[in-house]
Amino acid sequence: MRAGLLAGRETVEGATVDGRGPRIWIERLRLTDFRNYAGLAIELDERPVVLTGANGAGKTNLLEAVSLLAPGRGLRGAPFGEIVREGAAGGWAVAARVNGADGPVDLGTGYAAAPGTETAGRTVRVDGTPARSSGALGDHVRLVWLTPAMDGLFTGPASERRRFLDRLIQTVDPGYRTLLGRFERAMRQRNRLLEAEHGAPAQFEGLEAQMAETGVAVAAARRDALGRLLACIETRREADAASSFPWATLALAGVLEERLAHEAAVDVEDAYGAMLAAGRPRDRAAKRTLEGPHRSDLLVGHGPRGMAARKCSTGEQKALLVGLVLAHSELVAQSHDGEAPLILLDEIAAHLDASRRTALFREIGRLGVQAWMTGTDRAVFVSEALEARLLSVEDGGICP
């Protein structure tokens, strides 16, 4: 048994004896030529991390670096070449020591031109050993985030809500990302045939068979994840009906998702395959596939008010989003033997009044997560409800 990094606490293999379960937390973070950071090294403990500073100082850049310790393209989804610090030669690198239920692990990821070539690509290392893809990071880091870019989630296009749902599923079902990728690749190939206005029937049939199989599996995974998320939301509602973060109603609107509610998956596969074949003339005119899980939508409502989320005020929408993120965090923990994920909350104080900020800090404490929060005003994070590491960000540097 080793001494815990927080006073009065001890840890054993990532699980604490303070009544909270194991959690993922970053002990050390190092950046090289990442955005506006030429070089940075931070030593941390299990507590939440608060980053404050002026706009443009690099607070969100740090959250983006943390997000790249998990599979995918990070919270901004930016091309990797754009992340390299302006004026730097080569690429960028992010390295961290991450603690979890199985103990510490050293993770590294970066982007640089391959020696002797003009091509560049992302690299990933786990305890110094090269990994085939960023998917290997998913064995060690799971995270949930909320950024200002998501403030328009309920009023924006359906594609934004699909991405939100698909990212949610990936944190609880590691195979989902591969499944979704297979569907999208087959659809892109079919779309190219449609654009070229030629292609043998056998070519279409082969791709449509792949789309039917993977598309129905994607829709089924979405239905399953949504059901589990709704169960977490209901548990939270029963525990605190008057929560500062209202419970949400959720539903899927999509041809496949709706048919799966009352038909066997194999029958839906056959029906979708037939739908694609019959729809070739219409799809050829549009030069794209018009039916499938890539057209589905996530319908969100404000439960207590019985109102569509898109009709709520900005403050209500922010509170609803926070509630969804907290429920998502609980779902991730349930799906991984109680191990709480990292939570990244960028400019979280925006649209939250003092009472809701206090409620959020208490939720973070209850969940036992290492939350990373940013804001311009340090004073809003000074609260008895929040025990955190407060750091000041100043143009490529950190001050305690």
Side-chain angles (χ1 to χ4, degrees):
M1 183 177 292
R2 61 182 176 83
L5 290 168
L6 297 183
R9 182 182 302 169
E10 292 182 332
T11 61
V12 182
E13 296 181 345
T16 63
V17 295
D18 60 0
R20 295 184 294 191
R23 83 289 308 272
I24 298 168
W25 61 280
I26 296 175
E27 178 180 342
R28 182 174 63 242
L29 179 67
R30 298 181 185 276
L31 309 184
T32 303
D33 288 334
F34 188 95
R35 297 287 188 184
N36 65 328
Y37 294 93
L40 179 74
I42 316 174
E43 301 289 334
L44 302 162
D45 54 39
E46 296 169 275
R47 289 176 296 173
V49 179
V50 172
L51 304 168
T52 60
N55 290 327
K59 303 183 298 296
T60 304
N61 294 345
L62 269 174
L63 295 196
E64 182 182 26
V66 172
S67 72
L68 287 167
L69 294 171
R73 301 187 66 86
L75 59 80
R76 280 186 171 125
F80 294 138
E82 293 182 3
I83 299 174
V84 181
R85 183 175 61 86
E86 187 174 351
W92 54 264
V94 177
R97 170 157 289 188
V98 179
N99 287 267
D102 296 327
V105 60
D106 291 319
L107 303 178
T109 185
Y111 174 88
T117 74
E118 295 183 356
T119 61
R122 184 181 182 183
T123 59
V124 173
R125 289 180 178 271
V126 178
D127 278 334
T129 302
R132 294 183 60 183
S133 72
S134 67
L137 298 171
D139 294 333
H140 308 283
V141 175
R142 287 169 293 279
L143 51 83
V144 179
W145 66 66
L146 178 56
T147 70
M150 295 166 61
D151 287 351
L153 182 71
F154 305 132
T155 56
S159 59
E160 293 298 323
R161 290 182 290 281
R162 279 196 305 274
R163 275 194 285 271
F164 173 81
L165 179 60
D166 289 339
R167 189 169 64 247
L168 182 155
I169 299 171
Q170 289 171 26
T171 59
V172 298
D173 180 359
Y176 181 75
R177 188 163 174 255
T178 300
L179 181 67
L180 185 62
R182 288 175 56 203
F183 171 79
E184 291 176 342
R185 281 194 299 274
M187 183 176 66
R188 284 195 297 271
Q189 292 172 9
R190 182 178 185 268
N191 287 348
R192 282 196 287 271
L193 290 180
L194 295 170
E195 290 174 0
E197 297 186 355
H198 64 74
Q203 290 179 290
F204 278 102
E205 290 167 5
L207 292 172
E208 287 164 0
Q210 292 178 47
M211 290 175 64
E213 178 187 356
T214 56
V216 171
V218 164
R222 286 175 177 168
R223 281 176 48 82
D224 176 69
L226 200 67
R228 295 166 64 190
L229 180 61
L230 283 168
C232 287
I233 290 172
E234 182 60 26
T235 298
R236 289 176 55 81
R237 178 187 176 187
E238 291 174 353
D240 185 6
S243 172
S244 296
F245 306 109
W247 54 277
T249 61
L250 303 172
L252 284 167
V255 173
L256 302 187
E257 290 89 348
E258 291 167 6
R259 295 190 72 145
L260 283 169
H262 52 81
E263 296 180 42
V266 64
D267 294 331
V268 179
E269 275 188 39
D270 292 342
Y272 184 38
M275 189 187 308
L276 289 169
R280 287 175 203 165
R282 186 181 64 155
D283 290 352
R284 182 173 283 115
K287 299 187 184 300
R288 66 185 189 280
T289 303
L290 296 175
E291 293 288 357
H294 63 294
R295 306 279 289 182
S296 302
D297 196 0
L298 175 65
L299 307 180
V300 184
H302 189 295
R305 296 196 60 189
M307 178 186 293
R310 68 178 183 278
K311 297 181 179 180
C312 295
S313 70
T314 301
E316 288 173 326
Q317 290 179 354
K318 189 73 171 187
L320 200 59
L321 260 176
V322 172
L324 279 174
V325 167
L326 294 173
H328 180 193
S329 300
E330 296 199 31
L331 175 60
V332 173
Q334 287 180 11
S335 304
H336 295 89
D337 299 321
E339 186 177 59
L342 293 169
I343 301 183
L344 310 182
L345 302 170
D346 194 21
E347 296 294 343
I348 190 57
H351 306 305
L352 291 184
D353 57 26
S355 63
R356 279 184 171 149
R357 286 197 301 269
T358 299
L360 174 61
F361 299 156
R362 293 193 189 282
E363 284 276 6
I364 288 170
R366 183 184 66 81
L367 291 171
V369 296
Q370 188 190 57
W372 289 62
M373 294 172 277
T374 70
T376 55
D377 186 359
R378 181 179 184 275
V380 302
F381 296 100
V382 178
S383 168
E384 292 182 357
L386 179 66
E387 181 189 3
R389 178 80 179 277
L390 291 124
L391 301 172
S392 177
V393 181
E394 297 178 6
D395 194 22
I398 293 282
C399 299

